[in-house]
Amino acid sequence: MNYMLDKINLLDNKDSIINTANDIVKLLQTNDNLTDSEKIMTIELAMAQLNYDLYKISGDKEE
């Protein structure tokens, strides 16, 4: 985590990035419908969806 924070702290918008990440974590931590493992999977799915929405990058194999 320190590696990521070191990178983020170099950015002008670092406070907004950190606050948004904290909001997401709090939202997941207070969700009693998900196990801890499912909360991590939720983050992974959100990352994949955001990557696709922003950059049209998908980890799916094209056939």
Side-chain angles (χ1 to χ4, degrees):
M1 188 166 106
N2 288 335
Y3 169 76
M4 182 60 75
L5 286 173
D6 287 345
K7 288 173 47 176
I8 289 169
N9 280 327
L10 298 175
L11 302 174
D12 292 335
N13 208 14
K14 66 183 174 191
D15 292 333
S16 182
I17 295 167
I18 291 169
N19 290 336
T20 302
N22 287 336
D23 290 344
I24 293 167
V25 169
K26 286 177 192 171
L27 180 65
L28 283 169
Q29 286 175 333
T30 59
N31 187 329
D32 295 330
N33 296 321
L34 299 173
T35 67
D36 290 347
S37 180
E38 290 169 335
K39 291 174 184 180
I40 292 172
M41 282 190 275
T42 301
I43 289 286
E44 291 173 350
L45 176 59
M47 291 273 304
Q49 288 176 331
L50 189 58
N51 246 339
Y52 185 77
D53 290 347
L54 296 176
Y55 305 108
K56 302 300 183 235
I57 296 171
S58 172
D60 298 333
K61 288 184 178 179
E62 291 187 24
E63 297 182 20

